[in-house]
Short mmCIF file of all heavy atoms in Angstrom, two decimals:
data_model
loop_
_atom_site.label_atom_id
_atom_site.label_comp_id
_atom_site.label_asym_id
_atom_site.label_seq_id
_atom_site.Cartn_x
_atom_site.Cartn_y
_atom_site.Cartn_z
N ILE A 339 55.10 -129.18 85.91
CA ILE A 339 55.23 -127.82 85.38
C ILE A 339 56.52 -127.74 84.60
O ILE A 339 57.59 -128.10 85.11
CB ILE A 339 55.21 -126.77 86.52
CG1 ILE A 339 53.91 -126.91 87.32
CG2 ILE A 339 55.37 -125.37 85.96
CD1 ILE A 339 53.86 -126.02 88.53
N ASP A 340 56.43 -127.29 83.39
CA ASP A 340 57.62 -127.15 82.55
C ASP A 340 58.43 -125.95 82.99
O ASP A 340 57.96 -125.04 83.69
CB ASP A 340 57.22 -127.00 81.08
CG ASP A 340 56.49 -128.24 80.59
OD1 ASP A 340 56.75 -129.31 81.17
OD2 ASP A 340 55.68 -128.13 79.66
N ASP A 341 59.68 -125.94 82.54
CA ASP A 341 60.56 -124.83 82.87
C ASP A 341 60.10 -123.53 82.21
O ASP A 341 60.32 -122.44 82.74
CB ASP A 341 62.01 -125.14 82.43
CG ASP A 341 62.57 -126.30 83.24
OD1 ASP A 341 62.06 -126.54 84.36
OD2 ASP A 341 63.49 -126.96 82.74
N ASP A 342 59.46 -123.64 81.05
CA ASP A 342 59.03 -122.44 80.36
C ASP A 342 57.58 -122.08 80.65
O ASP A 342 56.95 -121.35 79.89
CB ASP A 342 59.22 -122.62 78.84
CG ASP A 342 58.47 -123.83 78.33
OD1 ASP A 342 57.96 -124.60 79.17
OD2 ASP A 342 58.39 -123.99 77.10
N ASP A 343 57.06 -122.62 81.75
CA ASP A 343 55.68 -122.30 82.12
C ASP A 343 55.61 -120.87 82.63
O ASP A 343 56.41 -120.47 83.48
CB ASP A 343 55.20 -123.28 83.21
CG ASP A 343 53.70 -123.16 83.45
OD1 ASP A 343 53.07 -122.40 82.69
OD2 ASP A 343 53.20 -123.82 84.36
N ILE A 344 54.64 -120.10 82.14
CA ILE A 344 54.51 -118.69 82.53
C ILE A 344 53.35 -118.48 83.49
O ILE A 344 52.88 -117.37 83.67
CB ILE A 344 54.33 -117.81 81.28
CG1 ILE A 344 53.07 -118.24 80.52
CG2 ILE A 344 55.56 -117.85 80.40
CD1 ILE A 344 52.74 -117.33 79.35
N SER A 345 52.87 -119.56 84.11
CA SER A 345 51.78 -119.42 85.06
C SER A 345 52.32 -118.90 86.39
O SER A 345 53.51 -118.63 86.55
CB SER A 345 51.09 -120.76 85.25
OG SER A 345 52.02 -121.71 85.74
N ASP A 346 51.45 -118.78 87.41
CA ASP A 346 51.85 -118.24 88.70
C ASP A 346 52.93 -119.11 89.34
O ASP A 346 52.91 -120.33 89.26
CB ASP A 346 50.63 -118.19 89.64
CG ASP A 346 49.60 -117.20 89.12
OD1 ASP A 346 50.00 -116.37 88.30
OD2 ASP A 346 48.43 -117.29 89.53
N SER A 347 53.86 -118.46 90.02
CA SER A 347 54.93 -119.17 90.71
C SER A 347 54.44 -119.68 92.06
O SER A 347 53.33 -119.40 92.50
CB SER A 347 56.13 -118.24 90.90
OG SER A 347 55.73 -117.14 91.71
N ASP A 348 55.32 -120.46 92.76
CA ASP A 348 54.95 -121.00 94.06
C ASP A 348 54.71 -119.89 95.07
O ASP A 348 53.83 -119.99 95.93
CB ASP A 348 56.08 -121.93 94.57
CG ASP A 348 56.22 -123.14 93.67
OD1 ASP A 348 55.25 -123.43 92.94
OD2 ASP A 348 57.29 -123.78 93.69
N GLU A 349 55.52 -118.79 95.00
CA GLU A 349 55.33 -117.70 95.94
C GLU A 349 53.98 -117.02 95.73
O GLU A 349 53.30 -116.65 96.68
CB GLU A 349 56.47 -116.68 95.77
CG GLU A 349 57.84 -117.26 96.14
CD GLU A 349 58.93 -116.24 95.90
OE1 GLU A 349 58.59 -115.14 95.41
OE2 GLU A 349 60.09 -116.54 96.20
N GLU A 350 53.57 -116.90 94.45
CA GLU A 350 52.28 -116.28 94.18
C GLU A 350 51.14 -117.19 94.63
O GLU A 350 50.11 -116.73 95.10
CB GLU A 350 52.16 -115.98 92.70
CG GLU A 350 53.11 -114.86 92.26
CD GLU A 350 53.10 -114.70 90.76
OE1 GLU A 350 52.65 -115.64 90.08
OE2 GLU A 350 53.54 -113.66 90.28
N TRP A 351 51.33 -118.52 94.47
CA TRP A 351 50.30 -119.45 94.96
C TRP A 351 50.17 -119.37 96.47
O TRP A 351 49.10 -119.57 97.02
CB TRP A 351 50.64 -120.87 94.53
CG TRP A 351 50.51 -121.11 93.07
CD1 TRP A 351 49.88 -120.30 92.16
CD2 TRP A 351 51.02 -122.21 92.34
NE1 TRP A 351 49.96 -120.82 90.92
CE2 TRP A 351 50.65 -122.00 91.00
CE3 TRP A 351 51.74 -123.36 92.67
CZ2 TRP A 351 50.99 -122.90 90.01
CZ3 TRP A 351 52.06 -124.25 91.68
CH2 TRP A 351 51.70 -124.02 90.36
N ALA A 352 51.28 -119.11 97.20
CA ALA A 352 51.25 -119.09 98.66
C ALA A 352 50.36 -117.97 99.17
O ALA A 352 49.73 -118.10 100.23
CB ALA A 352 52.66 -118.93 99.22
N TYR A 353 50.27 -116.88 98.41
CA TYR A 353 49.45 -115.75 98.84
C TYR A 353 48.02 -115.84 98.33
O TYR A 353 47.19 -115.02 98.70
CB TYR A 353 50.07 -114.43 98.36
CG TYR A 353 51.38 -114.13 99.03
CD1 TYR A 353 52.58 -114.31 98.36
CD2 TYR A 353 51.40 -113.67 100.35
CE1 TYR A 353 53.79 -114.05 98.99
CE2 TYR A 353 52.61 -113.40 100.97
CZ TYR A 353 53.80 -113.58 100.28
OH TYR A 353 54.98 -113.33 100.90
N ASP A 354 47.76 -116.81 97.47
CA ASP A 354 46.39 -116.96 96.99
C ASP A 354 45.53 -117.57 98.07
O ASP A 354 45.89 -118.60 98.67
CB ASP A 354 46.36 -117.88 95.75
CG ASP A 354 47.02 -117.20 94.57
OD1 ASP A 354 47.17 -115.97 94.64
OD2 ASP A 354 47.39 -117.91 93.62
N THR A 355 44.40 -116.99 98.35
CA THR A 355 43.47 -117.50 99.37
C THR A 355 42.11 -117.72 98.74
O THR A 355 41.73 -117.02 97.80
CB THR A 355 43.34 -116.49 100.53
OG1 THR A 355 42.95 -115.22 99.98
CG2 THR A 355 44.63 -116.34 101.29
N PRO A 356 41.38 -118.71 99.23
CA PRO A 356 40.05 -118.95 98.66
C PRO A 356 39.12 -117.80 98.97
O PRO A 356 39.29 -117.07 99.94
CB PRO A 356 39.61 -120.25 99.36
CG PRO A 356 40.40 -120.30 100.62
CD PRO A 356 41.71 -119.64 100.30
N PRO A 357 38.12 -117.57 98.17
CA PRO A 357 37.18 -116.47 98.40
C PRO A 357 36.39 -116.68 99.69
O PRO A 357 36.04 -117.79 100.06
CB PRO A 357 36.26 -116.53 97.18
CG PRO A 357 36.40 -117.90 96.65
CD PRO A 357 37.79 -118.34 96.97
N LYS A 358 36.12 -115.57 100.42
CA LYS A 358 35.42 -115.63 101.69
C LYS A 358 33.99 -115.16 101.51
O LYS A 358 33.68 -114.33 100.64
CB LYS A 358 36.13 -114.72 102.72
CG LYS A 358 37.57 -115.12 102.98
CD LYS A 358 38.23 -114.12 103.92
CE LYS A 358 39.70 -114.48 104.15
NZ LYS A 358 40.37 -113.52 105.03
N ASN A 359 33.13 -115.67 102.40
CA ASN A 359 31.74 -115.23 102.34
C ASN A 359 31.57 -113.92 103.11
O ASN A 359 32.47 -113.43 103.78
CB ASN A 359 30.82 -116.32 102.90
CG ASN A 359 31.26 -116.77 104.29
OD1 ASN A 359 31.90 -115.99 105.00
ND2 ASN A 359 30.91 -118.00 104.66
N LYS A 360 30.39 -113.35 103.05
CA LYS A 360 30.14 -112.03 103.65
C LYS A 360 30.22 -112.07 105.17
O LYS A 360 30.69 -111.13 105.80
CB LYS A 360 28.77 -111.53 103.20
CG LYS A 360 28.71 -111.24 101.70
CD LYS A 360 27.36 -110.69 101.33
CE LYS A 360 27.31 -110.36 99.84
NZ LYS A 360 25.99 -109.82 99.44
N GLY A 361 29.78 -113.18 105.79
CA GLY A 361 29.80 -113.28 107.24
C GLY A 361 31.21 -113.22 107.81
O GLY A 361 31.48 -112.51 108.79
N GLU A 362 32.13 -113.94 107.18
CA GLU A 362 33.52 -113.94 107.65
C GLU A 362 34.14 -112.55 107.47
O GLU A 362 34.90 -112.09 108.33
CB GLU A 362 34.32 -114.99 106.89
CG GLU A 362 33.91 -116.43 107.21
CD GLU A 362 34.73 -117.42 106.43
OE1 GLU A 362 35.52 -116.98 105.56
OE2 GLU A 362 34.59 -118.63 106.66
N GLU A 363 33.85 -111.89 106.35
CA GLU A 363 34.41 -110.55 106.14
C GLU A 363 33.92 -109.56 107.19
O GLU A 363 34.69 -108.73 107.69
CB GLU A 363 34.02 -110.07 104.73
CG GLU A 363 34.73 -110.83 103.61
CD GLU A 363 34.33 -110.33 102.25
OE1 GLU A 363 33.45 -109.45 102.21
OE2 GLU A 363 34.88 -110.82 101.25
N GLU A 364 32.63 -109.63 107.56
CA GLU A 364 32.10 -108.72 108.59
C GLU A 364 32.75 -108.96 109.94
O GLU A 364 33.08 -108.02 110.68
CB GLU A 364 30.59 -108.89 108.68
CG GLU A 364 29.86 -108.36 107.45
CD GLU A 364 28.37 -108.59 107.55
OE1 GLU A 364 27.94 -109.19 108.56
OE2 GLU A 364 27.64 -108.17 106.63
N GLU A 365 32.96 -110.25 110.31
CA GLU A 365 33.60 -110.56 111.60
C GLU A 365 35.03 -110.03 111.63
O GLU A 365 35.49 -109.49 112.65
CB GLU A 365 33.60 -112.08 111.82
CG GLU A 365 32.20 -112.63 112.11
CD GLU A 365 32.22 -114.12 112.34
OE1 GLU A 365 33.34 -114.70 112.25
OE2 GLU A 365 31.17 -114.71 112.58
N GLU A 366 35.76 -110.19 110.53
CA GLU A 366 37.14 -109.68 110.49
C GLU A 366 37.17 -108.16 110.62
O GLU A 366 38.03 -107.59 111.32
CB GLU A 366 37.81 -110.11 109.18
CG GLU A 366 38.15 -111.59 109.13
CD GLU A 366 38.92 -111.94 107.88
OE1 GLU A 366 39.12 -111.03 107.05
OE2 GLU A 366 39.32 -113.12 107.74
N LYS A 367 36.23 -107.48 109.97
CA LYS A 367 36.18 -106.02 110.09
C LYS A 367 35.90 -105.58 111.54
O LYS A 367 36.49 -104.62 112.03
CB LYS A 367 35.11 -105.46 109.16
CG LYS A 367 35.49 -105.54 107.68
CD LYS A 367 34.40 -104.96 106.82
CE LYS A 367 34.78 -105.02 105.35
NZ LYS A 367 33.72 -104.48 104.47
N LYS A 368 35.00 -106.31 112.23
CA LYS A 368 34.69 -105.99 113.63
C LYS A 368 35.92 -106.17 114.52
O LYS A 368 36.22 -105.35 115.38
CB LYS A 368 33.54 -106.86 114.12
CG LYS A 368 32.19 -106.49 113.52
CD LYS A 368 31.09 -107.41 114.05
CE LYS A 368 29.74 -107.05 113.43
NZ LYS A 368 28.66 -107.93 113.93
N GLU A 369 36.66 -107.29 114.32
CA GLU A 369 37.86 -107.54 115.12
C GLU A 369 38.91 -106.46 114.87
O GLU A 369 39.56 -105.98 115.82
CB GLU A 369 38.42 -108.92 114.78
CG GLU A 369 37.53 -110.07 115.28
CD GLU A 369 38.10 -111.41 114.92
OE1 GLU A 369 39.17 -111.43 114.25
OE2 GLU A 369 37.51 -112.44 115.29
N GLU A 370 39.11 -106.08 113.60
CA GLU A 370 40.08 -105.03 113.30
C GLU A 370 39.68 -103.69 113.94
O GLU A 370 40.52 -102.95 114.47
CB GLU A 370 40.20 -104.87 111.79
CG GLU A 370 40.88 -106.05 111.10
CD GLU A 370 40.91 -105.88 109.60
OE1 GLU A 370 40.36 -104.85 109.12
OE2 GLU A 370 41.46 -106.76 108.90
N LYS A 371 38.38 -103.39 113.92
CA LYS A 371 37.91 -102.15 114.54
C LYS A 371 38.11 -102.15 116.04
O LYS A 371 38.53 -101.15 116.66
CB LYS A 371 36.43 -101.97 114.21
CG LYS A 371 35.85 -100.64 114.63
CD LYS A 371 34.41 -100.52 114.17
CE LYS A 371 33.84 -99.17 114.59
NZ LYS A 371 32.41 -99.02 114.19
N LYS A 372 37.87 -103.34 116.66
CA LYS A 372 38.04 -103.48 118.11
C LYS A 372 39.51 -103.31 118.49
O LYS A 372 39.85 -102.62 119.47
CB LYS A 372 37.52 -104.83 118.56
CG LYS A 372 37.45 -105.01 120.06
CD LYS A 372 36.83 -106.35 120.40
CE LYS A 372 36.76 -106.54 121.91
NZ LYS A 372 36.17 -107.85 122.26
N GLU A 373 40.42 -103.95 117.71
CA GLU A 373 41.85 -103.81 118.00
C GLU A 373 42.30 -102.37 117.84
O GLU A 373 43.11 -101.86 118.62
CB GLU A 373 42.64 -104.72 117.05
CG GLU A 373 42.45 -106.20 117.33
CD GLU A 373 43.20 -107.06 116.33
OE1 GLU A 373 43.79 -106.47 115.39
OE2 GLU A 373 43.17 -108.30 116.47
N GLY A 374 41.77 -101.68 116.84
CA GLY A 374 42.14 -100.29 116.66
C GLY A 374 41.69 -99.41 117.81
O GLY A 374 42.42 -98.51 118.27
N GLU A 375 40.48 -99.67 118.33
CA GLU A 375 40.00 -98.91 119.48
C GLU A 375 40.86 -99.16 120.71
O GLU A 375 41.16 -98.23 121.48
CB GLU A 375 38.54 -99.28 119.77
CG GLU A 375 37.58 -98.79 118.68
CD GLU A 375 36.16 -99.25 118.95
OE1 GLU A 375 35.97 -100.05 119.91
OE2 GLU A 375 35.24 -98.85 118.20
N GLU A 376 41.26 -100.43 120.93
CA GLU A 376 42.12 -100.74 122.09
C GLU A 376 43.47 -100.03 121.98
O GLU A 376 44.00 -99.52 122.97
CB GLU A 376 42.31 -102.26 122.18
CG GLU A 376 41.04 -103.00 122.59
CD GLU A 376 41.27 -104.50 122.65
OE1 GLU A 376 42.39 -104.94 122.27
OE2 GLU A 376 40.35 -105.24 123.05
N GLU A 377 44.05 -99.99 120.79
CA GLU A 377 45.33 -99.30 120.61
C GLU A 377 45.20 -97.80 120.88
O GLU A 377 46.07 -97.19 121.52
CB GLU A 377 45.85 -99.55 119.19
CG GLU A 377 46.34 -100.98 118.96
CD GLU A 377 46.84 -101.17 117.56
OE1 GLU A 377 46.79 -100.18 116.77
OE2 GLU A 377 47.29 -102.29 117.23
N GLU A 378 44.11 -97.22 120.38
CA GLU A 378 43.89 -95.80 120.65
C GLU A 378 43.72 -95.52 122.15
O GLU A 378 44.21 -94.52 122.68
CB GLU A 378 42.65 -95.32 119.87
CG GLU A 378 42.87 -95.25 118.37
CD GLU A 378 41.64 -94.78 117.66
OE1 GLU A 378 40.62 -94.55 118.35
OE2 GLU A 378 41.68 -94.66 116.41
N LYS A 379 43.04 -96.42 122.87
CA LYS A 379 42.84 -96.27 124.31
C LYS A 379 44.16 -96.33 125.06
O LYS A 379 44.43 -95.55 125.99
CB LYS A 379 41.89 -97.36 124.80
CG LYS A 379 41.40 -97.16 126.23
CD LYS A 379 40.39 -98.23 126.58
CE LYS A 379 39.88 -98.04 128.00
NZ LYS A 379 38.90 -99.10 128.40
N LYS A 380 45.03 -97.27 124.65
CA LYS A 380 46.36 -97.37 125.28
C LYS A 380 47.17 -96.10 125.06
O LYS A 380 47.86 -95.62 125.95
CB LYS A 380 47.11 -98.58 124.73
CG LYS A 380 46.56 -99.91 125.22
CD LYS A 380 47.38 -101.05 124.64
CE LYS A 380 46.86 -102.39 125.14
NZ LYS A 380 47.64 -103.53 124.58
N LYS A 381 47.10 -95.58 123.82
CA LYS A 381 47.85 -94.36 123.54
C LYS A 381 47.35 -93.19 124.41
O LYS A 381 48.14 -92.39 124.92
CB LYS A 381 47.73 -94.00 122.06
CG LYS A 381 48.49 -94.94 121.13
CD LYS A 381 48.32 -94.53 119.69
CE LYS A 381 49.10 -95.46 118.77
NZ LYS A 381 48.94 -95.08 117.35
N GLU A 382 46.02 -93.09 124.60
CA GLU A 382 45.47 -92.02 125.45
C GLU A 382 45.94 -92.16 126.90
O GLU A 382 46.27 -91.17 127.57
CB GLU A 382 43.96 -92.03 125.38
CG GLU A 382 43.42 -91.59 124.02
CD GLU A 382 41.92 -91.71 123.94
OE1 GLU A 382 41.31 -92.18 124.93
OE2 GLU A 382 41.34 -91.34 122.88
N GLU A 383 45.98 -93.41 127.41
CA GLU A 383 46.44 -93.65 128.79
C GLU A 383 47.91 -93.25 128.94
O GLU A 383 48.32 -92.66 129.95
CB GLU A 383 46.24 -95.11 129.16
CG GLU A 383 44.77 -95.50 129.31
CD GLU A 383 44.61 -96.97 129.62
OE1 GLU A 383 45.64 -97.70 129.60
OE2 GLU A 383 43.47 -97.42 129.86
N GLU A 384 48.71 -93.58 127.92
CA GLU A 384 50.13 -93.22 127.99
C GLU A 384 50.31 -91.70 128.01
O GLU A 384 51.16 -91.15 128.72
CB GLU A 384 50.87 -93.84 126.81
CG GLU A 384 51.01 -95.35 126.91
CD GLU A 384 51.71 -95.92 125.70
OE1 GLU A 384 52.02 -95.13 124.76
OE2 GLU A 384 51.96 -97.15 125.66
N VAL A 385 49.49 -91.00 127.20
CA VAL A 385 49.61 -89.53 127.18
C VAL A 385 49.22 -88.94 128.53
O VAL A 385 49.90 -88.03 129.06
CB VAL A 385 48.71 -88.96 126.06
CG1 VAL A 385 48.65 -87.43 126.15
CG2 VAL A 385 49.24 -89.38 124.68
N GLU A 386 48.15 -89.43 129.16
CA GLU A 386 47.74 -88.93 130.50
C GLU A 386 48.80 -89.23 131.54
O GLU A 386 49.10 -88.40 132.41
CB GLU A 386 46.41 -89.58 130.88
CG GLU A 386 45.24 -89.08 130.04
CD GLU A 386 43.96 -89.77 130.42
OE1 GLU A 386 43.99 -90.63 131.32
OE2 GLU A 386 42.91 -89.46 129.80
N GLU A 387 49.40 -90.44 131.46
CA GLU A 387 50.43 -90.82 132.42
C GLU A 387 51.66 -89.93 132.27
O GLU A 387 52.30 -89.54 133.25
CB GLU A 387 50.81 -92.28 132.22
CG GLU A 387 51.78 -92.80 133.26
CD GLU A 387 52.11 -94.25 133.03
OE1 GLU A 387 51.54 -94.87 132.09
OE2 GLU A 387 52.95 -94.78 133.78
N LYS A 388 51.98 -89.60 131.01
CA LYS A 388 53.14 -88.74 130.78
C LYS A 388 52.90 -87.35 131.35
O LYS A 388 53.82 -86.71 131.89
CB LYS A 388 53.42 -88.67 129.27
CG LYS A 388 54.68 -87.90 128.92
CD LYS A 388 54.93 -87.96 127.44
CE LYS A 388 56.21 -87.23 127.07
NZ LYS A 388 56.47 -87.23 125.62
N LYS A 389 51.65 -86.87 131.22
CA LYS A 389 51.33 -85.55 131.77
C LYS A 389 51.40 -85.54 133.31
O LYS A 389 51.89 -84.59 133.91
CB LYS A 389 49.95 -85.11 131.32
CG LYS A 389 49.88 -84.77 129.84
CD LYS A 389 48.47 -84.36 129.46
CE LYS A 389 48.40 -84.00 127.98
NZ LYS A 389 47.02 -83.60 127.60
N LYS A 390 50.92 -86.59 133.96
CA LYS A 390 50.88 -86.65 135.43
C LYS A 390 52.27 -86.89 136.00
O LYS A 390 52.72 -86.18 136.90
CB LYS A 390 49.93 -87.74 135.90
CG LYS A 390 48.47 -87.43 135.57
CD LYS A 390 47.57 -88.57 136.04
CE LYS A 390 46.10 -88.30 135.72
NZ LYS A 390 45.25 -89.42 136.15
N CYS A 391 52.97 -87.90 135.56
CA CYS A 391 54.28 -88.30 136.11
C CYS A 391 55.28 -88.44 134.98
O CYS A 391 55.53 -89.56 134.50
CB CYS A 391 54.17 -89.60 136.90
SG CYS A 391 52.92 -89.58 138.18
N PRO A 392 55.89 -87.39 134.53
CA PRO A 392 56.84 -87.51 133.42
C PRO A 392 58.10 -88.27 133.79
O PRO A 392 58.67 -88.97 132.96
CB PRO A 392 57.15 -86.06 133.06
CG PRO A 392 56.78 -85.27 134.26
CD PRO A 392 55.67 -85.98 134.94
N ASP A 393 58.55 -88.13 135.08
CA ASP A 393 59.78 -88.83 135.49
C ASP A 393 59.57 -90.34 135.45
O ASP A 393 60.43 -91.10 134.97
CB ASP A 393 60.19 -88.39 136.89
CG ASP A 393 60.55 -86.91 136.92
OD1 ASP A 393 60.93 -86.41 135.82
OD2 ASP A 393 60.44 -86.30 137.99
N ILE A 394 58.44 -90.79 136.00
CA ILE A 394 58.18 -92.25 136.01
C ILE A 394 58.01 -92.77 134.59
O ILE A 394 58.51 -93.84 134.22
CB ILE A 394 56.92 -92.54 136.85
CG1 ILE A 394 57.19 -92.14 138.31
CG2 ILE A 394 56.53 -94.00 136.76
CD1 ILE A 394 55.97 -92.26 139.19
N TYR A 395 57.32 -92.00 133.74
CA TYR A 395 57.08 -92.45 132.37
C TYR A 395 58.39 -92.58 131.60
O TYR A 395 58.64 -93.57 130.93
CB TYR A 395 56.14 -91.46 131.66
CG TYR A 395 55.88 -91.83 130.22
CD1 TYR A 395 54.96 -92.83 129.90
CD2 TYR A 395 56.57 -91.18 129.19
CE1 TYR A 395 54.74 -93.17 128.60
CE2 TYR A 395 56.34 -91.51 127.89
CZ TYR A 395 55.42 -92.52 127.59
OH TYR A 395 55.20 -92.85 126.28
N ASN A 396 59.25 -91.56 131.75
CA ASN A 396 60.53 -91.60 131.04
C ASN A 396 61.40 -92.73 131.56
O ASN A 396 62.10 -93.40 130.80
CB ASN A 396 61.27 -90.27 131.18
CG ASN A 396 60.52 -89.15 130.47
OD1 ASN A 396 59.81 -89.41 129.50
ND2 ASN A 396 60.67 -87.92 130.97
N TYR A 397 61.41 -92.91 132.87
CA TYR A 397 62.23 -93.97 133.45
C TYR A 397 61.72 -95.35 133.03
O TYR A 397 62.48 -96.26 132.72
CB TYR A 397 62.24 -93.83 134.97
CG TYR A 397 63.27 -94.71 135.65
CD1 TYR A 397 64.60 -94.29 135.72
CD2 TYR A 397 62.92 -95.94 136.18
CE1 TYR A 397 65.56 -95.08 136.32
CE2 TYR A 397 63.86 -96.74 136.78
CZ TYR A 397 65.18 -96.31 136.86
OH TYR A 397 66.12 -97.11 137.44
N ARG A 398 60.35 -95.50 132.98
CA ARG A 398 59.77 -96.81 132.60
C ARG A 398 60.06 -97.12 131.14
O ARG A 398 60.38 -98.26 130.79
CB ARG A 398 58.27 -96.76 132.84
CG ARG A 398 57.58 -98.10 132.57
CD ARG A 398 56.09 -97.94 132.61
NE ARG A 398 55.65 -97.55 133.92
CZ ARG A 398 54.38 -97.21 134.21
NH1 ARG A 398 53.48 -97.18 133.23
NH2 ARG A 398 54.04 -96.88 135.44
N THR A 399 59.91 -96.16 130.26
CA THR A 399 60.13 -96.42 128.83
C THR A 399 61.59 -96.66 128.51
O THR A 399 61.91 -97.41 127.59
CB THR A 399 59.63 -95.21 128.00
OG1 THR A 399 60.24 -94.03 128.50
CG2 THR A 399 58.11 -95.10 128.10
N ASN A 400 62.51 -96.02 129.27
CA ASN A 400 63.94 -96.19 128.99
C ASN A 400 64.56 -97.34 129.76
O ASN A 400 65.73 -97.64 129.56
CB ASN A 400 64.71 -94.91 129.32
CG ASN A 400 64.27 -93.76 128.42
OD1 ASN A 400 63.94 -93.99 127.26
ND2 ASN A 400 64.27 -92.54 128.98
N LEU A 401 63.82 -97.97 130.68
CA LEU A 401 64.37 -99.05 131.51
C LEU A 401 64.48 -100.31 130.68
O LEU A 401 63.46 -100.81 130.16
CB LEU A 401 63.48 -99.29 132.73
CG LEU A 401 63.97 -100.32 133.73
CD1 LEU A 401 65.24 -99.80 134.43
CD2 LEU A 401 62.89 -100.64 134.75
N PRO A 402 65.67 -100.86 130.51
CA PRO A 402 65.81 -102.10 129.72
C PRO A 402 65.27 -103.29 130.49
O PRO A 402 65.16 -103.28 131.70
CB PRO A 402 67.31 -102.19 129.47
CG PRO A 402 67.93 -101.46 130.59
CD PRO A 402 66.99 -100.37 130.97
N SER A 403 64.99 -104.35 129.78
CA SER A 403 64.42 -105.55 130.43
C SER A 403 65.48 -106.30 131.22
O SER A 403 65.16 -107.04 132.16
CB SER A 403 63.82 -106.47 129.34
OG SER A 403 64.83 -106.84 128.41
N SER A 404 66.75 -106.12 130.89
CA SER A 404 67.82 -106.85 131.57
C SER A 404 68.51 -105.99 132.64
O SER A 404 69.69 -106.14 132.90
CB SER A 404 68.86 -107.31 130.53
OG SER A 404 69.40 -106.19 129.88
N CYS A 405 67.78 -105.05 133.26
CA CYS A 405 68.39 -104.20 134.29
C CYS A 405 68.56 -104.96 135.60
O CYS A 405 67.87 -105.95 135.84
CB CYS A 405 67.55 -102.94 134.49
SG CYS A 405 65.89 -103.29 135.06
N SER A 406 69.45 -104.47 136.46
CA SER A 406 69.75 -105.17 137.73
C SER A 406 68.66 -104.92 138.75
O SER A 406 67.75 -104.10 138.56
CB SER A 406 71.10 -104.67 138.26
OG SER A 406 71.01 -103.28 138.49
N GLY A 407 68.77 -105.62 139.89
CA GLY A 407 67.77 -105.47 140.95
C GLY A 407 67.81 -104.11 141.61
O GLY A 407 66.78 -103.58 142.02
N GLU A 408 69.00 -103.52 141.74
CA GLU A 408 69.12 -102.20 142.37
C GLU A 408 68.40 -101.14 141.55
O GLU A 408 67.74 -100.25 142.09
CB GLU A 408 70.59 -101.82 142.51
CG GLU A 408 71.35 -102.73 143.47
CD GLU A 408 72.80 -102.35 143.57
OE1 GLU A 408 73.20 -101.41 142.82
OE2 GLU A 408 73.52 -102.99 144.33
#
Side-chain angles (χ1 to χ4, degrees):
I339 302 174
D340 297 333
D341 294 337
D342 57 351
D343 190 5
I344 60 174
S345 60
D346 295 341
S347 62
D348 295 340
E349 295 177 358
E350 292 173 342
W351 290 346
Y353 292 104
D354 291 343
T355 55
K358 300 176 182 179
N359 53 26
K360 294 183 178 180
E362 292 180 354
E363 290 180 356
E364 291 178 357
E365 289 180 0
E366 288 185 357
K367 289 180 179 180
K368 289 180 181 179
E369 290 179 358
E370 290 177 358
K371 188 176 180 182
K372 189 176 180 181
E373 291 177 356
E375 291 176 353
E376 290 179 355
E377 289 180 359
E378 290 180 358
K379 191 175 180 181
K380 288 181 179 180
K381 289 180 179 180
E382 291 176 358
E383 291 178 354
E384 289 178 356
V385 171
E386 290 178 0
E387 186 179 358
K388 185 176 181 181
K389 290 179 179 180
K390 293 179 180 179
C391 306
D393 296 336
I394 296 174
Y395 178 79
N396 293 332
Y397 191 82
R398 184 189 296 173
T399 54
N400 296 327
L401 184 68
S403 59
S404 60
C405 62
S406 61
E408 294 179 357

